[in-house]
Amino acid sequence: MFEQKNKSVKHYDGRWAHLYKLWCSALQQEPLPQFDRWLSQEFAKNSKYGSRDRRWYSECLFAGIRFGYFALFCEEFFKSNKTKKIDKLSLDESISDFSKNFQTGNQVLSKWNEISPERFFVWIRLRYELAYKNKPNTLSLELGDEKFQEEVQFFVNLVNLIENSENIIFQLLISSIPIWFKEAIEKRIHESSWENEKTKQFFSELEIRPPLWIRINDLEKIDIVKAELVKEGFEFEQFDSALKVTGAKGVFALQAYRSGLFEIQDLASQRIGQNIQVKNGQFVWDCCAGGGGKTQQIASLLKNKGVIYASDIREYKLEEVKKRARKSGFFNIRCLPWNGENLPNFQKEVENRHGFDWVLVDAPCTSSGTWRRNPDAKYRVSHTNIESLTRLQLSILENASRGVRVGGHLVYSTCSWIYDENEGIILEFLKKNTFYTLVKQNLLGSPNENADTMFAAVLKRES
Ligand SMILES: C[S@@+](CC[C@H](N)C(=O)[O-])C[C@H]1O[C@@H](n2cnc3c(N)ncnc32)[C@H](O)[C@@H]1O
């Protein structure tokens, strides 16, 4: 049974007032900005914030975005429920109205704008405390005045009714996942044969940021990295070349980072790269390389004994790839822009080998698998953009597949758990491209590992 402790700290102090200002200014951006970037820009403009303030504001604002869908439901239900008594009937009616009234991220956002931040953050703090029931938390309720006692009681009653239910709508709601994802979630549960416990694990992991994962570029130098982590007061756990790192500071300032001994890379993303089982001397094309997270990983497997082409539609991203390659001492990475259509003009060396041994298509996607880290992404996904993305994903995959030599492999990946962007694409691709076979496909990371959720499929070109 969930109970709310009564605390007696004055709620509306200067820090909260400032938080509300930041919240309002975030909501003035249209569409909702990529939140982590927006926040770092805000902090950069305001040098008066110390690191503890930043951490606190960031935790609160992210909680606002993470739990904001549920907070909006609480507010709507509370306002429309005259008696403030919650029963199954009034709850069902309220959910039905809510899902009709809010069918897109923009509708949710514009309603957030209408709620006073003080009220909005009452719901957020209540929900946050529920997520952090047995963990150290930052955003404790501190509702000393009597002002919101009715809301607190309403929240407790609501949570007690829906918290342990197996009703999928209740689970979505309390996990603050917009109900418009119901069908997509059900497809995922079915495709991955998740038992109830697995589904609950997936939902509950969305409440909390994933840990920080780093990837060691050269395992022979792992002891240097570990020694510096210990010296700087970090704790870590090792899983092959991945380390889960915990500490109060960031790792950017570490000498080992600056000299390219490790990269920050989520575990699920590392799992994608591990599918590319390169051998010395092989040729790889990372055709949606972005800033080169996976290019770096492949380069560390090849140890300069092979060649990697890195492409992206956004040419400026390739500058980042080059910079990172220099830092880590990889001199076998060739950058070539690509718009996802006809193959780019690779050098003669590729033609001589009749194509690549490995092509990685780390496709643009909804990023639904990164909601733990970037909860704002859930308000940007709609049926329409899933449909247009899947068309683009299939087209990039088909065009890139022409670069694979016979006997070579095509790896398709996304940072999404949505079936249509993953298994659905592979199914379509294999229907048309019968000279490819599926070696394996897997959902990676959460709920099986404490990370983001991603997908990778490995296909072999047979003829
Ligand atoms: C998921 S991100 C890649 C992340 C990167 N592989 C990494 O590990 O850091 C997808 C990339 O696809 C690129 N992209 C989008 N549309 C594209 C297209 N039509 N052709 C090629 N790349 C495209 C985007 O610019 C973006 O950098």
Side-chain angles (χ1 to χ4, degrees), residues 275-278 282-285 356-360 409 411:
N275 280 293
I276 303 167
Q277 308 239 314
V278 279
Q282 288 196 321
F283 274 47
V284 185
W285 181 30
F356 289 92
D357 301 289
W358 295 90
V359 171
L360 169 63
H409 291 86
V411 178

Side-chain angles (χ1 to χ4, degrees), residues 12-47:
Y12 198 90
D13 67 6
R15 205 149 76 144
W16 282 101
H18 200 81
L19 171 77
Y20 299 155
K21 259 196 183 156
L22 272 169
W23 176 251
C24 292
S25 95
L27 296 186
Q28 292 315 305
Q29 320 291 311
E30 248 189 83
L32 185 68
Q34 200 166 329
F35 206 68
D36 51 354
R37 267 193 226 151
W38 176 82
L39 199 55
S40 355
Q41 284 161 4
E42 281 302 300
F43 288 156
K45 280 191 250 163
N46 265 304
S47 53

Side-chain angles (χ1 to χ4, degrees), residues 105-116:
N106 284 346
Q107 288 169 335
V108 171
L109 259 54
S110 67
K111 201 70 185 179
W112 284 354
N113 252 317
E114 291 174 22
I115 307 174
S116 84

Side-chain angles (χ1 to χ4, degrees), residues 166 171 194-204 447:
E166 275 167 18
Q171 291 186 26
W194 284 349
E195 306 278 337
N196 279 337
E197 277 317 299
K198 204 45 100 190
T199 309
K200 283 196 173 140
Q201 173 80 10
F202 177 73
F203 287 152
S204 75

Side-chain angles (χ1 to χ4, degrees), residues 363-382:
C365 68
T366 54
S367 304
S368 62
T370 66
W371 288 352
R372 297 185 70 187
R373 202 180 301 280
N374 300 313
D376 43 306
K378 62 186 159 187
Y379 305 105
R380 279 192 278 271
V381 184
S382 68

Side-chain angles (χ1 to χ4, degrees), residues 428-448:
E428 282 302 305
F429 177 83
L430 288 173
K431 267 191 216 160
K432 287 202 232 152
N433 298 275
T434 49
F435 46 98
Y436 272 96
T437 52
L438 179 63
V439 179
K440 58 175 171 177
Q441 58 180 349
N442 289 106
L443 201 70
L444 307 164
S446 173
N448 295 316

